[in-house]
Amino acid sequence: STGRRRLAALCDGIARGAFTRSEDVSPTEKDPRFRAVLKVIDDDFARPLKNADLARGAKMSVEGFVRWFRAEAGISPRAYVIRRRIRDASVRLAYTNDSIESIAEESGFPNRHYFTRTFVKHLGIGPATFRNQALTD
């Protein structure tokens, strides 16, 4: 329905705004290594992404990578990955009828309980409530 598409677009916009600070994470203005790291995260956010693996890809030590990423993005690599996962999940909750368990798993969370706690922490409501609000609009 038109209302559901509008809400989904709004949710995506809110999620993008809440999860990234455009002046901090604009890959067009950043170091090519940073753009490459963001691409890896965007392409593979649902799989386990360890700082050591990301640092290796950027040809940096883990400690140096975490400091560098935080300076570039304004948040830690782990926080960025979690926010990317929440953004994907929120869009899927609004657009699909997939179960919350499958959305959690396919968005990279180990289980629904951890997903729900993380979702509430970032958006202030649980995934089921978020979905119900998307359906009623």
Side-chain angles (χ1 to χ4, degrees):
S1 77
T2 302
R4 187 168 180 174
R5 282 193 304 273
R6 184 176 50 80
L7 180 61
L10 177 63
C11 292
D12 187 49
I14 290 169
R16 286 175 192 273
F19 300 145
T20 61
R21 297 187 327 205
S22 61
E23 71 274 9
D24 291 335
V25 190
S26 175
T28 59
E29 300 174 10
K30 299 293 180 181
D31 178 328
R33 290 181 305 168
F34 187 68
R35 287 193 304 266
V37 169
L38 291 181
K39 182 169 178 10
V40 167
I41 292 170
D42 282 341
D43 290 348
D44 294 330
F45 65 86
R47 73 175 179 84
L49 291 171
K50 298 182 181 192
N51 286 340
D53 298 330
L54 295 170
R56 192 175 313 109
K59 297 181 171 60
M60 302 174 83
S61 70
V62 174
E63 296 80 14
F65 170 75
V66 172
R67 281 192 306 274
W68 171 73
F69 190 97
R70 186 180 299 274
E72 293 288 319
I75 58 176
S76 71
R78 177 171 167 70
Y80 184 89
V81 169
I82 289 172
R83 289 176 177 189
R84 178 62 181 88
R85 290 173 177 167
I86 291 291
R87 190 175 110 210
D88 177 73
S90 67
V91 170
R92 293 186 64 214
L93 285 164
Y95 277 117
T96 74
N97 291 322
D98 296 347
S99 72
I100 292 174
E101 289 81 4
S102 71
I103 290 173
E105 181 182 315
E106 291 170 17
S107 295
F109 293 94
N111 59 59
R112 178 185 175 152
H113 301 291
Y114 178 71
F115 168 60
T116 299
R117 282 194 312 272
T118 305
F119 198 92
V120 169
K121 180 180 173 183
H122 286 274
L123 295 181
I125 59 174
T129 303
F130 182 91
R131 171 174 273 167
N132 288 336
Q133 288 178 355
L135 292 173
T136 59
D137 218 359

